[in-house]
Each structure stands twice: as C-alpha cells, then as structure tokens.
Amino acid sequence: MTQNVQATQSAQGTVEAQPVRLSLGYKFVWGIASLGTSLISGIYGAMLPIFYQDYLGLRARWMAIASVIYAVWNAVNDPLFGYVTDSTRSRLGRRIPYMRYTAPFLALTFIAVWFAPAQVGQQALFWWMLVTMLLYDTAYTIIGLVYSALLPEVTESDAERNGLQISSSLFGLLGTILGFVIPDLFRPKGGTSPSFVPLQTSMVVVGLVSAALIIITTLRVKERHEFHVVDEPLKLGQALKYTWTSKSFLILVAQNFMSILMQSLMLGGLFYLSDYVLQMNAMVVIACLFIPLIIGVPTTTLIRRRFGVVGAQQILLLIAGVALVLVMVVPTPLILVCLALAGFGLSGPQTLTNVLFAQVADEDELRSGVRREGAFFGVNALLTKPAQSVALALMPFILEATHFVPREANQGQIMLNQPASAILGIKSLVGPIPGVALLLGAIILIWFPLRGERLARMQEQILALHAEKHAQLERQREEVNR
C-alpha cells in the first residue's frame, strides 16, 4: 500500500487525483495503538477518583486543587507539543518519533499513579497524586496528539478516514472495557482485604503491554513525506492566527468539549452507579453500555452515507443525550436500558469526531498551504481537556454535598445503604449532567459549515493540492539523485 495521492486516467484523458485506499491489514495495525492508549486512559479515568477519594481518603478540597493545577498544565502542553510536532523535520518524520519513544515513559508514569503510599497524610497524598498525574498526562498528551494528527495525513477520503477511525474505535472500546474489567478484578471490594498489591501488579502489566502495542503501530505506519519535506513550517504567530480564525474548528471544539465532559463524568461514575445505585456486578452495567456502543461504531458508516459526517454526529448525540437525561427519572431497573441507548448514541463522538477534525485540517491547508493537524489537535486539547478537570472536581463535590459515605469513613468497607440524597447525586453525575452536555453539543453543530457542496468542492481542491505537493517531492528527489 503506497501512502501517496493516487492518480487515475479520466475519460477525457486528464489525470485526476484520488484519495489513498487502505488495506484491511493496515487498518488493523492502525487500531492496535488505540488499544494501548485506551486501556491506560480507561483505567485512569475509571479508577482515579474512586482510588484516591474512596480508597485512600483524599478529601475533595485536595482533589479540586490538583484538578486546577492539572488544567493549567494542560493549557500549556497540548498546543506546545502540537506546534512542536508540526514544525519537526526528521528522517523518520514529524510524528512517528514522538509516538514511538514516548511510549515507555507513558507506561512508567501510569504505573506510578497507583503506587501512592497509604496513610501518609493528606498533603503527601495530594503531592503524589498531582506529580504523577502531570507526568502521566504529559506522556499521554504527546502520544494521543500525534496519533490523532496522523489520521488526516494518511488519506483524504472521508470513507477511508471513517474506516481507520472505526478500527481505532473498536480497539479503543476493547481497551476501555478492559480498563473497567481489569481493575474490577483486582480492586479492593467490600468484605475483602484492603490490600492494593493485586491492583498495583495488574497496573504494571497493563502499562508495559500498552507501550508495546503503541510501538508496534509506529513500526508499520509511515508518514507522507511531502508534508514534512515540501511544506515549510509556519511561524508561531501565523500558526496561531490561522488556528483561531477557523470558524469550523472553533465550532467543533465547542461540541467536543461537551463530549469530553460527558465521557469523563460517565467513566468516573460507573463504578459508583454499579456499587451504590444498581447494587450489581459492574461488568453487567459496563456490558449494557459498551455492547450497543460496539454495535454502533460500524453502524456510523451507514448513517454517515445517508446524512453526512456532521449530520450523523448530531443524530447520535441527540440519541445519547436524551437517554442519559432519562436516567434521573426512570425506575431503577430501566437505567440499564437508558445506558444501552446512550451507548449506541456515543458511537458518534467515539468515531466521527476525528473525521470532522480531518475536514477542518483540510480546510486549513487550503488557507495556509501547510498541513497543521498538530496545531488543531493541540489547541483542541487546550480547550477541551479542562472538561476532564471540571469532571474530576465536580464529582467529589457533588458526592460530598449529597452526603455520600466513602469507604474510608466506614472502616474501609463499602456502605451500600447510602442516603437517598447520595443516590440522586450519583444519578446526576452519570445521567442528566452528561446528557445535557451532549444535547448542547448537537445544537452547536448546527453552525458547522463543512457540509454539502462546500465540503465536496473543498475535497476536490485538497486532492489537487496533494498531487501537486507529491510531484514537487518527486522533483526534489530527482535533483538529489543527479
């Protein structure tokens, strides 16, 4: 499989550029990296709040301070690394080296999060959580940003990008499911010894396996040389100007903020929902959410063909949003039905968001003349990652405000008979708050401009530009070989 713009002969005898077509094997290997990153991030999102607040007893005030500092660091590192990768020129490319050589550090920093010393006092526990969070997030930011930025480069076709993202999403969902299953198998539970050794051992294995999966993908995926040989990097001021004046980008970021907030609240709240509201095995709850989500991911192809990428995204956001809002009002047994409907709807944010970002990057290349996916994904993270901090701070405050009784306050044992106010607090964190966020996201996309004839014209222009860049690359190679 060659990673260059392909050309075909038209009926009139002219040469027409065609999007790159990708093999199934390539798409499979592409998704392996998502398995590695999502396995780590799934465990991190699901376990971090309950590990530090419920298991170790860190008070909400300290967790909120850590969340604020974490948000400030995110405001710096994502756009910084995005600009750096866009501007990098090396023999291996501008993306792959960062992804490959950061993977071991991601494993080490992730492992360190779960080795917080117990019973050392609130301040010491706070500093351990904060430092390990910042180190972990730095490594995860680099890899996640680079992996996302590679998608728009690989092919210009919405269909092929959708196919790559389906592979990434399916592997990512597998990783996220394992991110619930693995810690649930090894975390301390009611009536058992409070030892953290089984959980910590499993985290070591997860970190090492995930790093290996990321590295495997970097050994197969190759960058398109015309984007780091022919293109001249923009200066920082120019790059910021093009990024912040893109209407398409700003609208998409606003919608994505809502999706990230929803995801963070749901991941952090599922164990609470399982243990205290439904009082059933967490794996049953996870299955009700993720099986419809897995079914929905490949279904996005059919919906996209009928309604376009942005239309499909809006429809799926509406389905998930309505289902989550209903969690607060339906009888307890029907909460699982709402989660199933939400799971199907969440296939949109899971699969189509990066395809929309690829369209934004194509539009920007026509404006600036340069591929700048790193800048867009970096600024996107700057504006959306605070949603994770909002969720991390919101959860313990709502739980404390609704008189939730943590295990640490109950001699290390789970207290199933929580007050009714705490049950409502947990429901709100998993249901209406993320549900309203998704509904707002669907409304925001009404103003997204890349659709219909405008999108079709843009895609034709980007193919012609890439063909021109590839021809220029070949001319440069011929001159070097003379």
Side-chain angles (χ1 to χ4, degrees):
M1 191 280 300
T2 178
Q3 290 194 59
N4 297 317
V5 177
Q6 298 171 341
T8 60
Q9 196 79 11
S10 71
Q12 291 77 24
T14 59
V15 177
E16 297 179 345
Q18 297 291 327
V20 174
R21 302 299 177 186
L22 306 169
S23 68
L24 289 176
Y26 186 95
K27 293 175 182 177
F28 180 86
V29 175
W30 174 271
I32 289 176
S34 183
L35 175 58
T37 57
S38 63
L39 180 56
I40 281 180
S41 65
I43 291 175
Y44 180 84
M47 282 296 298
L48 188 73
I50 200 170
F51 182 76
Y52 277 91
Q53 183 187 22
D54 197 7
Y55 295 174
L56 298 180
L58 185 63
R59 287 193 286 271
R61 175 168 62 93
W62 291 108
M63 293 186 71
I65 294 172
S67 300
V68 171
I69 299 172
Y70 174 83
V72 172
W73 173 233
N74 273 328
V76 176
N77 67 8
D78 288 284
L80 172 64
F81 292 133
Y83 179 75
V84 167
T85 59
D86 280 344
S87 303
T88 296
R89 298 296 181 268
S90 73
R91 181 179 58 84
L92 293 176
R94 57 179 181 164
R95 315 281 190 206
I96 294 295
Y98 292 104
M99 190 172 175
R100 181 178 301 167
Y101 299 119
T102 304
F105 293 99
L106 176 64
L108 291 174
T109 54
F110 169 77
I111 291 168
V113 169
W114 313 108
F115 280 79
Q119 299 178 345
V120 293
Q122 291 288 303
Q123 291 188 22
L125 191 58
F126 159 78
W127 281 110
W128 186 282
M129 175 184 175
L130 176 63
V131 172
T132 56
M133 277 174 58
L134 295 181
L135 291 174
Y136 158 81
D137 181 73
T138 300
Y140 185 82
T141 292
I142 294 172
I143 293 175
L145 187 148
V146 167
Y147 185 53
S148 297
L150 280 170
L151 175 69
E153 292 188 13
V154 172
T155 179
E156 298 83 358
S157 165
D158 280 348
E160 292 297 310
R161 287 167 173 171
N162 193 187
L164 281 175
Q165 194 59 40
I166 286 174
S167 174
S168 176
S169 296
L170 289 175
F171 274 110
L173 288 172
L174 174 60
T176 303
I177 292 170
L178 291 175
F180 283 103
V181 173
I182 291 172
D184 192 55
L185 291 174
F186 298 103
R187 67 189 177 109
K189 298 178 182 178
T192 64
S193 170
S195 172
F196 295 133
V197 174
L199 177 66
Q200 291 168 334
T201 303
S202 67
M203 295 303 97
V204 172
V205 175
V206 165
L208 296 177
V209 170
S210 297
L213 293 172
I214 294 167
I215 292 171
I216 288 172
T217 295
T218 67
L219 297 176
R220 171 69 190 274
V221 174
K222 308 297 179 185
E223 298 184 47
R224 291 172 62 170
H225 294 289
E226 56 264 40
F227 299 140
H228 67 263
V229 175
V230 175
D231 285 355
E232 290 293 334
L234 295 180
K235 293 181 180 180
L236 180 59
Q238 291 177 301
L240 291 174
K241 177 183 177 182
Y242 279 114
T243 302
W244 289 100
T245 57
S246 172
K247 176 183 176 182
S248 305
F249 172 68
L250 296 177
I251 290 172
L252 182 56
V253 165
Q255 179 264 298
N256 199 36
F257 180 92
M258 300 300 174
S259 294
I260 298 298
L261 177 62
M262 171 279 307
Q263 182 184 51
S264 300
L265 287 171
M266 286 199 68
L267 287 178
L270 276 183
F271 282 136
Y272 286 102
L273 185 72
S274 303
D275 291 350
Y276 300 108
V277 178
L278 300 174
Q279 296 188 13
M280 63 174 55
N281 190 303
M283 294 303 101
V284 176
V285 180
I286 292 167
C288 287
L289 177 68
F290 281 95
I291 291 176
L293 179 52
I294 292 171
I295 294 171
V297 165
T299 307
T300 59
T301 297
L302 302 176
I303 304 174
R304 175 190 58 79
R305 289 173 183 169
R306 177 65 180 85
F307 298 100
V309 180
V310 65
Q313 180 84 318
Q314 288 177 286
I315 291 170
L316 292 166
L317 287 172
L318 288 171
I319 293 173
V322 171
L324 290 177
V325 169
L326 291 175
V327 166
M328 181 63 84
V329 297
V330 300
T332 299
L334 292 181
I335 289 177
L336 294 179
V337 177
C338 292
L339 289 180
L341 288 172
F344 181 82
L346 293 178
S347 62
Q350 180 74 27
T351 307
L352 298 175
T353 299
N354 278 0
V355 181
L356 290 170
F357 272 113
Q359 293 178 354
V360 170
D362 288 343
E363 180 189 42
D364 174 73
E365 186 181 9
L366 294 176
R367 296 171 65 215
S368 67
V370 179
R371 295 297 298 187
R372 301 187 315 110
E373 292 89 351
F376 283 110
F377 282 105
V379 176
N380 168 67
L382 160 68
L383 298 175
T384 59
K385 274 196 173 180
Q388 297 177 344
S389 298
V390 170
L392 185 60
L394 188 62
M395 288 188 64
F397 272 111
I398 287 182
L399 290 175
E400 282 193 2
T402 55
H403 309 294
F404 173 79
V405 181
R407 302 179 195 200
E408 184 269 340
N410 192 40
Q411 299 180 342
Q413 299 298 316
I414 184 172
M415 183 175 181
L416 294 177
N417 296 320
Q418 294 285 339
S421 59
I423 299 300
L424 288 176
I426 294 170
K427 285 184 177 182
S428 69
L429 287 169
V430 180
I433 296 178
V436 169
L438 292 178
L439 294 176
L440 289 174
I443 294 171
I444 289 169
L445 284 180
I446 291 173
W447 291 278
F448 188 74
L450 300 182
R451 61 178 88 211
E453 293 183 3
R454 176 173 175 175
L455 177 62
R457 286 195 304 270
M458 183 194 76
Q459 290 172 332
E460 291 177 359
Q461 293 170 347
I462 204 71
L463 283 172
L465 178 60
H466 287 178
E468 180 182 337
K469 288 184 177 183
H470 181 63
Q472 186 176 346
L473 174 65
E474 293 301 319
R475 289 194 296 269
Q476 290 182 6
R477 287 173 172 172
E478 290 175 0
E479 292 176 0
V480 170
N481 294 330
R482 287 176 184 172

